Amino acid sequence: LKPDASCSSFSRPQFASMALAIQAPCCVAWLTRTRLRKTKGHGRYLIIACILCYLLVHRLSVARPLSDGFCSITSGRHHRGSPVSLRCSDVSKASAVSTSSAVQPPGSVEAPGTARRDAMAFALSLGLLVCSSRPAPAEADDEQKMAPSRAMAIFSGGDARFLQAAFEDIRYKGITTIEVGRMSDGTRAVRVTYDPKRCTYQMLLGAYWRSIDPTDAQGQFNDRGAEFRPVVWVSIDTERDLAEKSLKMMESSGVYGPTEVKGMLTVGKETLRPPVPFFTEISSALDFQPTPADGQDFCKADRKAYSSLRDTTGRAKFSSDHYDPVSLLGGYVYFPCTGKNLCLTTFNGDFK
């Protein structure tokens, strides 16, 4: 179709086609950007917007005929089969005819269905414009989900260089950094930064309990004094609740009970070792100050020295005495830490 030379404006079909051509790439970009197949309900917004725009524009188009402001150059088939062609000079005549009757007679301005097709095309383009110009909430949600989240936990228990090694063993579970330092009151501590989506606070508690002597309130092994006392530093109520629960579970397990009674090895059932009270503090976190770089990563920087000190300070023997299986007479084996006494449950972080 070609507009008449005397026309000063575009026809509705041409306007709708141009708008659709402009908005189609925007729609494709929007759908790709928001990954519509992964969003929740945003596809419905696009469909609803198009339908509403279609109904509105279609109603306007059938209620009001074309005016002199538009060149209604249409092409189609009349219901009797004759082609319909209209020049701009005929618009005013057609308007007069259409306004005089609610039903357009043969030979009127537009062929049946043309206004509806025009309205649909215009509505679709308008709907695409609205949807493509909107910000993509789904994309923001996806970015928020994909954004790296971090949480921090602080623990104390003797020489922090040895406590660091306990968390290095589970670094693969989602721990990003482990820093050795001091709290504002002088207590030696380790600050663990981790991804809560991969590593839970319960897992950190499990690694902590296995690396300390929770029954010693005056320090840890050969490190004596208040600055070496065992403390779980908590920042929120959830951490406090989990720390208290894990403490009770480990305390009742009997794992830290005496391995010898009257010079004889305590053997038999898992509950044979009598539970002993814990003296580990659960306190609100204070300010943490990391040590200089040369004081970090001792367990990795000098593995030989670390292993030697672990033996001489009694840490290796303490761990072996309380956690290693014990061979009994008759071929029986006593496992101090099991799922039955909730020791393994605590170590694995399988509690809530």
Side-chain angles (χ1 to χ4, degrees), residues 12 59-66 98:
R12 262 205 308 256
R59 182 174 181 81
L60 293 175
S61 65
V62 297
R64 286 166 47 178
L66 297 177
S98 59

Side-chain angles (χ1 to χ4, degrees), residues 74-214:
T74 59
S75 177
R77 290 285 178 179
H78 194 269
H79 67 283
R80 293 182 179 179
S82 60
V84 177
S85 179
L86 182 67
R87 297 175 60 86
C88 293
S89 58
D90 300 326
V91 172
S92 57
K93 298 178 181 180
S95 299
V97 174
S98 59
T99 53
S100 63
S101 176
V103 180
Q104 294 182 357
S108 60
V109 177
E110 295 183 356
T114 302
R116 181 172 300 177
R117 289 194 300 269
D118 296 348
M120 183 179 295
F122 182 78
L124 180 59
S125 65
L126 183 59
L128 295 178
L129 173 62
V130 173
C131 294
S132 61
S133 61
R134 285 185 54 197
E139 181 185 25
D141 293 342
D142 290 344
E143 290 179 353
Q144 185 175 3
K145 293 178 181 178
M146 295 176 62
S149 58
R150 298 192 311 166
M152 294 183 181
I154 306 176
F155 303 91
S156 294
D159 189 338
R161 297 179 300 173
F162 293 95
L163 194 56
Q164 178 186 5
F167 298 107
E168 288 288 352
D169 292 339
I170 63 170
R171 178 185 282 270
Y172 69 94
K173 293 185 177 181
I175 294 177
T176 55
T177 59
I178 307 171
E179 301 170 283
V180 174
R182 293 174 182 262
M183 304 302 284
S184 57
D185 66 347
T187 307
R188 307 292 181 90
V190 165
R191 182 170 64 183
V192 181
T193 304
Y194 64 101
D195 182 358
K197 297 178 182 178
R198 299 175 53 198
C199 180
T200 64
Y201 187 71
Q202 293 92 312
M203 294 178 182
L204 301 180
L205 288 169
Y208 171 73
W209 292 123
R210 182 153 189 171
S211 62
I212 66 166
D213 178 4

Side-chain angles (χ1 to χ4, degrees), residues 206 210 249-250 253 255 335-351:
R210 182 153 189 171
M249 292 168 65
M250 290 301 299
S253 69
V255 173
F335 294 90
C337 185
T338 66
K340 186 176 181 180
N341 63 4
L342 300 182
C343 175
L344 280 179
T345 303
T346 307
F347 284 173
N348 295 332
D350 296 331
F351 65 94

